[in-house]
Structures are given as structure tokens and as C-alpha cells.
Amino acid sequence: MGNLKFDPEICTGCETTDCLTRCRYLGYDGETARRERAKLNRGEDSPVLRDCVTCYACEEYCPRGNHPFYQLVDLQEQKGIHPVPVPFYEKMVRVFAPKGDFTPATITNTAVNLCLFPDLKPHLKGILFEDSTVLMSKDLFCNLIYLHFGVSSLINERVPGVLEKLAGCGIEELVCFHDECYALYASWAPAYGYDVPFRPVHLFRYLLDRLAENAPRIRKLGLQAAYQRPCSSRLTPEKEPLLDQLFDVVGVTRVLREYDRENALCCGAVFKMQGRKELAEDVNKRNLDDMVRAGAEVCIFNCPFCYMTMKDMISGRGLKPLLISDLCRMALGEEL
Ligand code: SF4
Ligand code: SF4
């Protein structure tokens, strides 16, 4: 089991306690935030552990990279606090268990990890993916979804096997189609002290590089786009400027709206799993109203899970839901 690099000393002198004061769900003032942070740092119980909706945002809000969200999940597990009902968790553990059917073989071209989303395989075609090997298997599942369940131990149990299988492919780089997979290799694993034996490449970086190679083919799309920022993006916010670059390259305007960037709202799927149906509906309504009000014609997804959760409701509001890779394929003149 890895050990989280969380240091209570780092919080000493942190006057703003951003991890809790900026949380949009707890509603703490500065004094309450400092008091509850101190309790958490001593490993004590706190209402934070029960009231957290696991939006991941405090991991982004901490200006000192101290991993407050990962620490919160460790504490939830230690104290037996379950943000999602246990029977649902147990079902997920069974359904997404590794099957042992992935046999590592040397990959000499670009390895792209599609993880648990075989239904999206038809989207990985055309110039952007022509010289790549697409990997899909429950054996390669990043397992970070269990952060939403208040569980770190299962991730710790499964991640060494995932790293070993990928290392067996002899890869130097792994392109992560799913933002949350990237977060495993670029954030969670290093935070818990695991050596990642390859360089994780975010899909934004990969798409930018492929588009640069095919620059003469690009036609500017002239679309107004809303971006649905996933919860996992809170774990690796450093890649966010790449999305603005991508939109520039394909001639798309990222509409100015309230619920974007650090103020993003999640897709709501996790709130439903937690039995917070009204919160899920409220978040979806505010988010979609905001996209429409801002004049978006398309909604761009970086997370397959958000895409599958929201695509029908997005279409229902007259916007076209698109994976970011499909947006790039459109700019290259490819049929979707
Ligand atoms: S976890 Fe980060 S934001 Fe929170 S008190 Fe510590 S240093 Fe400050
Ligand atoms: S994960 Fe989200 S809801 Fe939970 S404490 Fe952090 S910011 Fe608040």
C-alpha cells in the first residue's frame, strides 16, 4: 500500500484554508474551515467527512499541492464513512474487477488507453489514431472512481497490477483517452509514492501534436463551444491551458459562462450514485441553462463518463454533444 504524501505541517501558515473555504458544498467561513482542517490534520472525525460530495475540487484549490482530497478519502475509509451506499460500492467492485485477460505484448507505435470504454472504440479512427494501438481491458482500469466511494485501499490494491501490465508492453508513453486515467498516472500514483514506468500523455497534448502534424488539412470550424469540465480534471489542472490551445487551433470559441474552469459543475452522475438526486438535477439544470445562455452550439467532453451521462440532456437543449477527439476530427474534415 502506498503512503499518501500529505503533510499537516504544510498547512501551518496557510491563512486562506482554500481547500475548505472554497468548497461550494460545505459553505464554511474562514474560522470553521480552519477548525475543521485542524481536526482533519490530527486524523480526527469532522463533518467534512460526511458532507463532502466528492467533487475533487479541493485537490485543485490547495495552492501548496498538499492533496487535501486524497487525505479526506483516506480518513473516510479509516472511519468507515461511505459517501455511496455500500451495496452499490460492492456491485461496482465486482463489475469492474480485473479479469486477467490482458496479456502484455510489446507495442512499437503509440499506445492509447481506452480503459473501460469499448463502446467508444469507433471514435478512435482517422488520421489522429491511424498509427496507434488502442488498449482496452478491465485489467487496465484506473480505479480512481473509488475516490467517490471514500475508498483508497482498493485503488492501492489494484494499481500495482495495472502498472505492471502496462510496463510489460515496453511503452515509454501512454496516451490516456480518459482524463481520470491520466490523473491516476500524473497525480494519484505519484502522491502515493508509486513509480510510474512510462510518461502519461494527456489526450489534449496528443491531439495538439497530431493536429500540428496535419496542419494543412485543418479547416477552422467557427463554432461556439461550452466545455464540460470533469471532476477528474481537478486532479491535474496544469493541462487546462492545452484545451484553450486546441480550441484556437480548430477555430472554436470557448463561450464565457459561469460554470467553467475552476467554477465548473460536474455531470451529476456521482451525486445520483450517492442518492443526492435533487443535487444532481439542480447541478444539471444550472449547468445546461448556463451553456444555453452563453450561446453555445456544441458541448465538448473530455471525459467519456460525462459524455455518456449528459449527451442526451445536451441534445435535448439543442446543443450537439461532442468528444474533444471528434471535434478535432471534424476540423480535419473527417466524417464522424
Ligand atoms: S490542504 Fe492546502 S489549502 Fe488546505 S489548509 Fe493545507 S495547504 Fe491550505
Ligand atoms: S471534494 Fe469537493 S465537496 Fe468534498 S471537501 Fe473537497 S471541494 Fe468540498
Side-chain angles (χ1 to χ4, degrees), residues 10-72:
I10 290 177
C11 300
T12 308
C14 174
E15 290 172 5
T16 51
T17 322
D18 288 327
C19 54
L20 296 180
T21 52
R22 294 188 64 194
C23 171
R24 72 170 77 218
Y25 301 98
L26 295 175
Y28 286 175
D29 58 24
E31 188 185 332
T32 310
R34 279 191 294 281
R35 185 185 67 227
E36 297 307 322
R37 171 45 62 198
K39 283 197 224 167
L40 294 170
N41 286 2
R42 291 192 296 266
E44 296 171 4
D45 201 353
S46 159
V48 175
L49 301 177
R50 283 168 192 78
D51 296 339
C52 169
V53 301
T54 71
C55 77
Y56 293 13
C58 44
E59 196 63 22
E60 177 175 26
Y61 296 153
C62 174
R64 302 179 178 200
N66 202 18
H67 304 303
F69 176 62
Y70 297 153
Q71 189 242 7
L72 193 155

Side-chain angles (χ1 to χ4, degrees), residues 114 143 168 216 257 304:
L114 194 51
N143 287 279
R257 67 188 193 99

Side-chain angles (χ1 to χ4, degrees), residues 70-172:
Y70 297 153
Q71 189 242 7
L72 193 155
V73 174
D74 278 359
L75 286 175
Q76 285 175 323
E77 184 164 14
Q78 282 169 25
K79 298 183 185 310
I81 294 166
H82 305 286
V84 175
V86 173
F88 191 85
Y89 165 68
E90 290 174 343
K91 183 178 168 196
M92 292 282 288
V93 172
R94 276 196 308 278
V95 170
F96 295 121
K99 292 282 177 267
D101 59 0
F102 180 82
T103 306
T106 302
I107 296 174
T108 53
N109 59 1
T110 304
V112 180
N113 187 7
L114 194 51
C115 185
L116 275 184
F117 300 99
D119 292 352
L120 295 183
K121 178 76 167 43
H123 292 261
L124 276 72
K125 61 184 179 187
I127 300 167
L128 295 171
F129 298 99
E130 64 186 359
D131 188 27
S132 63
T133 299
V134 178
L135 306 173
M136 285 175 292
S137 169
K138 288 179 181 172
D139 293 5
L140 305 180
F141 177 32
C142 66
N143 287 279
L144 280 199
I145 193 170
Y146 297 115
L147 295 173
H148 289 299
F149 294 69
V151 173
S152 302
S153 60
L154 185 69
I155 308 171
N156 271 287
E157 187 184 310
R158 290 181 174 175
V159 159
V162 176
L163 294 175
E164 190 184 324
K165 288 196 183 266
L166 289 167
C169 297
I171 52 174
E172 291 181 6

